[in-house]
Amino acid sequence: MLTELKKLVTFLLLLIQLTVYSQNAPSIERENWTGSATVQRIPAKYNKESAVILLDKRRIEYIDDAQELAAYRTLHRRIHIIDDNGIEQFNKIYLPVNSNNDIVDIKARTILPNGKVITVDSKNIRDLKEDDQLYKIFAMEALEKGCDVEFYYTYRIDGSFFGREIIQTGFPVLEAEVAILSPERLIFETKGYNQVNAAIDTMFNTKRMILLKQEDIPGAEKEKYAVYNAHLKRIEYKLSYNVSRSKTERLFTWNELAKRAYSIYGTYSDKDIKRVNELIKKNDWQKITANEQSIVVAVENYLKKNIGTSEYSNDKSAEDIEMIIKKKISSHRGIMRLYGAIFRQLNLEHEFVLCGSREDYAVDKNFENWNNCDNLLIYFPALKKYIAPTRLEMRYPLIQTEWIGTNGVFCKGTTIGNFTTAIADIRPIVGEDCNWSSNNIDAKINLNFSLDSLMVHTRQSYTGYSAVFYRASFNFAPDEQQQVLIKEMAKFGTKSEKVLHSKVENKEMEQVAANKPFVLDLVVNASELVDRAGNKILVKIGEIIGQQSEMYQEKPRQFDIDVNYPHTLNRHIEFTIPDGYKVKNLEDINISKQVQDNNMVTMGFTSSYKLDGKLLKISIREEYCQLEYPLAQYEAFKKIINAAADFNKIILVLEPQ
């Protein structure tokens, strides 16, 4: 896939390649097996693991090849297998490549505990293509507990001058090594993340080499309420200088990226402007005088309703404003250009923003890895809000949840004489507060005449990010899928599919800006929530809030807490106690778990009740006012999550008076 940023670097790559010295181009380094062909012992502390990676070695090598600068990547791993799960994980090896023509070398072998070595025959290495990615796949023969698996391969990669190597996996790594080799004129820089050792800059024969070594890397398991990839130990690299051109001119800076982005998204021909003015007049956007927000909302809703957008379009017309308006099909680049042109003609101050992801890799102000900012936003300084032009399901002011809490490259327009360009301003992307996104339930429940079923009238209402999935489903999914979703939402709080009435309110995408709640109004007959125990009636009142997550973790927590987006959950339940009965265990309802900072609740779960005659009123508030919480607060966070799960298990015991 050719991303926007790969297109952006084309010009600079050409400048670098103009100074290639192709005569007597050096060959690449070749890989060899490690050590002797005998099983390696592992420290006893790893005996309970399924497998241990003894060696994880990477090499990225740039060489002068004819009239271009070529890049080759080598991956070399040796793994010790401990149990059946380890065998299952490594009995087949999948190696991603660009094409068969790019492969320099592939070798693999199994070393058995008895000393026998089984080498994989090249004839048994097959091709597999999934999601446009080609893999070389082969089986490791005769794996058994206590054996070693070893393989390496070298292949040509796209000539990008940015990259990352992730050196932590789900298995412990005893020794990791990353080397970046390049012609002497090219100076790469690296940065390690998540407590990675500093790399050494040295020379290897006639080549520059950056070498990183790390030992005893623990295995990283996926955890609830935590991002995974972003926490893994990794090294990122970028080309910073080409000394054959200049020893002081830094390459691929954030300012250079901002200029390139602005030249693509913020410059238009006279023909572009003419077509955009016609579109503005057709929709009377120039007549909207209420406020800037009204203009943004009108433009975004129109474009997302009328123009299809695809990241993978290779059609040049999908970048041309005139053809986009005419054909109503656009690429990501094209739709950004159209938004930009419209806002410029409406005199609406805006900035193009490039960002990464909190779940994966984010922009680092101090290290210019352009590969970490593939996501596109438009920011409105007067409103201090964003739109995500390439995301159909999002509407002002909501953007992808994983983009908030990260840095963005804000392309701030500036004029020098008659020339307009942009400079980079690196700053955090701030999302909405916890009160913007809510998941609420208002339920009125009572037992039927025969006291064996609950009649539940519930209003599930969702605002902000909590409403995104439901709004998208009820706008873009076929009717039959919407009906299935209604049944699932009914089961969430009742465990019953006996829906007597359902009504959806405020599903329109235009309701997002005003944050009107998406509402599902339901009446459900739920016999599943009532049991008998002799002369007692058991009412599963806790089920009304739906099934809740529980957190029990045997191993120590590794990562900070991430709740996806700040949000609140409010539940109000009214239960009519039948005549002749009383509730035995009302005090079970009272739960309170909170964390405060400067007398402000940052996260918590509280539930309480009031008894008004035969009417039992239960109030519940669960809140997560921050996007992330430090690892030090994990135990408190776990108690709050489990408090919600405890409430879900509450069963009211009704006994005769």
Side-chain angles (χ1 to χ4, degrees):
M1 179 181 68
L2 188 61
T3 66
E4 292 296 311
L5 291 181
K6 286 181 180 177
K7 295 178 183 178
L8 287 176
V9 302
T10 300
F11 175 72
L12 288 177
L13 296 186
L14 290 174
L15 287 180
I16 292 168
Q17 290 170 5
L18 287 176
T19 54
V20 164
Y21 304 106
S22 59
Q23 297 87 355
N24 302 316
S27 61
I28 62 172
E29 299 298 319
R30 294 304 179 109
E31 196 64 13
N32 295 298
W33 295 124
T34 60
S36 62
T38 58
V39 170
Q40 296 186 16
R41 293 184 178 181
I42 61 169
K45 66 179 181 179
Y46 295 119
N47 286 342
K48 292 185 179 180
E49 300 287 345
S50 292
V52 173
I53 299 175
L54 304 169
L55 174 70
D56 187 324
K57 182 180 179 183
R58 328 284 181 91
R59 183 171 59 252
I60 300 92
E61 185 172 1
Y62 294 87
I63 67 166
D64 295 328
D65 183 9
Q67 293 301 312
E68 64 178 357
L69 192 68
Y72 292 84
R73 181 177 184 269
T74 297
L75 171 65
H76 184 168
R77 277 185 177 162
R78 183 162 177 162
I79 305 109
H80 182 73
I81 306 298
I82 298 173
D83 64 15
D84 290 334
N85 181 54
I87 292 173
E88 184 178 351
Q89 292 293 321
F90 293 101
N91 60 7
K92 284 187 179 179
I93 305 297
Y94 296 79
L95 303 176
V97 296
N98 293 327
S99 77
N100 284 321
N101 292 332
D102 293 331
I103 298 170
V104 175
D105 202 3
I106 296 182
K107 287 188 178 180
R109 65 179 183 175
T110 302
I111 305 170
L112 298 178
N114 64 9
K116 183 179 180 180
V117 177
I118 303 173
T119 302
V120 174
D121 192 319
S122 60
K123 295 178 181 178
N124 295 327
I125 300 176
R126 300 181 289 107
D127 289 348
L128 174 68
K129 195 165 188 179
E130 289 184 352
D131 300 326
D132 294 326
Q133 173 64 60
L134 177 65
Y135 296 88
K136 305 302 288 186
I137 177 174
F138 49 88
M140 302 301 297
E141 298 180 16
L143 295 194
E144 61 180 77
K145 297 175 185 178
C147 73
D148 284 0
V149 168
E150 186 173 13
F151 64 87
Y152 64 80
Y153 80 127
T154 300
Y155 64 105
R156 184 167 175 153
I157 60 176
D158 293 334
S160 172
F161 291 105
F162 310 93
R164 75 178 65 88
E165 292 293 330
I166 301 165
I167 59 174
Q168 189 174 25
T169 74
F171 299 99
V173 180
L174 298 192
E175 181 183 351
E177 178 181 306
V178 179
I180 300 168
L181 285 74
S182 65
E184 190 173 356
R185 70 183 184 284
L186 300 181
I187 299 178
F188 282 82
E189 293 181 338
T190 64
K191 186 171 182 178
Y193 292 85
N194 303 315
Q195 299 176 324
V196 168
N197 295 337
I200 299 171
D201 194 346
T202 184
M203 294 293 295
F204 182 81
N205 296 327
T206 61
K207 304 172 185 177
R208 289 187 182 273
M209 182 173 73
I210 299 177
L211 180 64
L212 173 138
K213 290 188 176 183
Q214 189 101 5
E215 296 181 348
D216 294 325
I217 301 172
E221 296 185 4
K222 292 185 177 180
E223 298 174 323
K224 284 185 178 181
Y225 299 100
V227 296
Y228 185 69
N229 290 339
H231 283 307
L232 297 179
K233 295 181 185 295
R234 70 184 189 273
I235 181 174
E236 299 195 359
Y237 60 92
K238 66 164 296 250
L239 178 64
S240 292
Y241 297 95
N242 179 4
V243 297
S244 66
R245 295 183 59 238
S246 172
K247 294 182 179 180
T248 58
E249 180 187 357
R250 187 174 180 83
L251 302 174
F252 303 118
T253 64
W254 290 132
N255 276 336
E256 181 64 35
L257 176 60
K259 291 175 185 177
R260 295 286 164 188
Y262 187 85
S263 70
I264 290 173
Y265 305 130
T267 57
Y268 320 102
S269 67
D270 292 340
K271 185 173 66 174
D272 292 336
I273 296 302
K274 180 180 178 181
R275 295 294 178 262
V276 164
N277 285 338
E278 291 170 355
L279 185 64
I280 290 171
K281 185 176 180 181
K282 176 183 175 182
N283 289 282
D284 289 330
W285 292 330
Q286 78 282 6
K287 295 181 181 180
I288 300 175
T289 57
N291 50 52
E292 286 193 5
Q293 176 177 308
S294 299
I295 300 173
V296 173
V297 170
V299 171
E300 183 184 31
N301 279 320
Y302 174 85
L303 293 183
K304 288 186 176 178
K305 276 186 174 182
N306 291 278
I307 296 178
T309 305
S310 172
E311 180 181 5
Y312 304 103
S313 176
N314 291 319
D315 185 353
K316 277 293 182 183
S317 68
E319 298 180 6
D320 182 87
I321 286 178
E322 180 179 25
M323 298 309 295
I324 293 170
I325 294 172
K326 181 179 179 180
K327 292 184 176 182
K328 302 194 182 318
I329 296 292
S330 176
S331 64
H332 283 187
R333 178 186 290 208
I335 203 67
M336 287 288 287
R337 296 188 70 243
L338 181 54
Y339 273 98
I342 291 170
F343 292 138
R344 191 180 87 166
Q345 292 308 104
L346 290 170
N347 296 314
L348 204 64
E349 185 182 0
H350 61 283
E351 297 171 6
F352 302 109
V353 183
L354 312 177
C355 70
S357 166
R358 199 175 66 258
E359 294 181 349
D360 294 307
Y361 315 107
V363 168
D364 181 344
K365 184 176 183 178
N366 299 313
F367 193 77
E368 310 109 319
N369 186 348
W370 290 12
N371 279 358
N372 291 349
C373 41
D374 273 344
N375 303 315
L376 305 172
L377 296 169
I378 296 178
Y379 176 69
F380 303 94
L383 300 171
K384 294 183 170 58
K385 305 288 184 184
Y386 304 83
I387 60 171
T390 64
R391 299 291 179 165
L392 178 64
E393 74 279 14
M394 295 295 172
R395 293 292 192 277
Y396 174 95
L398 302 182
I399 60 175
Q400 294 298 106
T401 56
E402 62 267 28
W403 300 355
I404 60 178
T406 66
N407 281 337
V409 181
F410 290 72
C411 304
K412 296 176 67 70
T414 182
T415 301
I416 304 171
N418 295 324
F419 178 66
T420 300
T421 184
I423 58 173
D425 184 13
I426 314 300
R427 62 179 191 269
I429 295 170
V430 180
E432 306 301 317
D433 66 28
C434 65
N435 294 313
W436 184 267
S437 298
S438 65
N439 178 338
N440 302 331
I441 294 174
D442 289 282
K444 295 182 179 181
I445 60 179
N446 58 274
L447 284 155
N448 65 353
F449 179 77
S450 57
L451 304 181
D452 60 1
S453 183
L454 282 185
M455 297 299 295
V456 182
H457 180 192
T458 179
R459 286 177 64 84
Q460 300 180 19
S461 61
Y462 306 85
T463 64
Y465 283 113
S466 299
V468 167
F469 169 77
Y470 299 108
R471 270 208 175 88
S473 297
F474 282 92
N475 276 277
F476 307 132
D479 289 343
E480 58 270 21
Q481 290 185 16
Q482 294 181 32
Q483 294 306 311
V484 170
L485 181 56
I486 287 174
K487 285 187 177 182
E488 290 300 314
M489 294 174 74
K491 285 171 61 178
F492 173 74
T494 66
K495 289 194 171 180
S496 173
E497 291 187 354
K498 298 174 185 176
V499 180
L500 306 180
H501 163 82
S502 66
K503 181 183 178 183
V504 174
E505 301 173 14
N506 300 329
K507 73 174 184 177
E508 298 80 15
M509 303 300 288
E510 290 83 353
Q511 307 285 17
V512 177
N515 207 18
K516 288 187 177 181
F518 170 88
V519 177
L520 178 59
D521 189 278
L522 293 162
V523 177
V524 181
N525 185 344
S527 60
E528 293 83 353
L529 300 186
V530 180
D531 278 332
R532 283 275 188 176
N535 65 349
K536 296 182 178 67
I537 303 172
L538 308 180
V539 177
K540 301 174 184 177
I541 198 78
E543 294 285 356
I544 297 297
I545 70 170
Q547 186 174 354
Q548 303 293 306
S549 296
E550 291 186 84
M551 297 191 72
Y552 300 101
Q553 188 164 327
E554 295 181 3
K555 295 183 178 181
R557 177 79 175 190
Q558 293 177 293
F559 302 140
D560 291 339
I561 302 149
D562 188 297
V563 298
N564 200 22
Y565 55 90
H567 59 284
T568 63
L569 304 95
N570 296 290
R571 285 86 163 85
H572 300 286
I573 304 169
E574 293 186 358
F575 172 55
T576 302
I577 303 169
D579 292 337
Y581 286 86
K582 64 179 181 180
V583 180
K584 180 182 178 181
N585 58 327
L586 284 174
E587 289 305 312
D588 290 352
I589 296 170
N590 290 325
I591 300 173
S592 181
K593 302 289 182 182
Q594 290 185 335
V595 173
Q596 296 189 1
D597 185 10
N598 294 325
N599 296 319
M600 298 290 291
V601 176
T602 60
M603 56 177 163
F605 179 94
T606 58
S607 59
S608 61
Y609 73 92
K610 290 183 180 180
L611 189 59
D612 185 4
K614 286 291 185 178
L615 187 62
L616 175 62
K617 298 179 180 180
I618 301 173
S619 296
I620 306 161
R621 180 172 174 84
E622 189 175 356
E623 55 195 317
Y624 303 94
C625 300
Q626 298 174 189
L627 178 64
E628 298 169 296
Y629 298 91
L631 182 60
Q633 292 187 351
Y634 171 67
E635 288 300 323
F637 177 81
K638 185 170 68 172
K639 289 178 182 178
I640 291 166
I641 292 293
N642 290 340
D646 290 342
F647 185 91
N648 173 253
K649 298 171 186 175
I650 292 176
I651 300 174
L652 296 181
V653 179
L654 277 61
E655 58 184 14
Q657 288 179 316

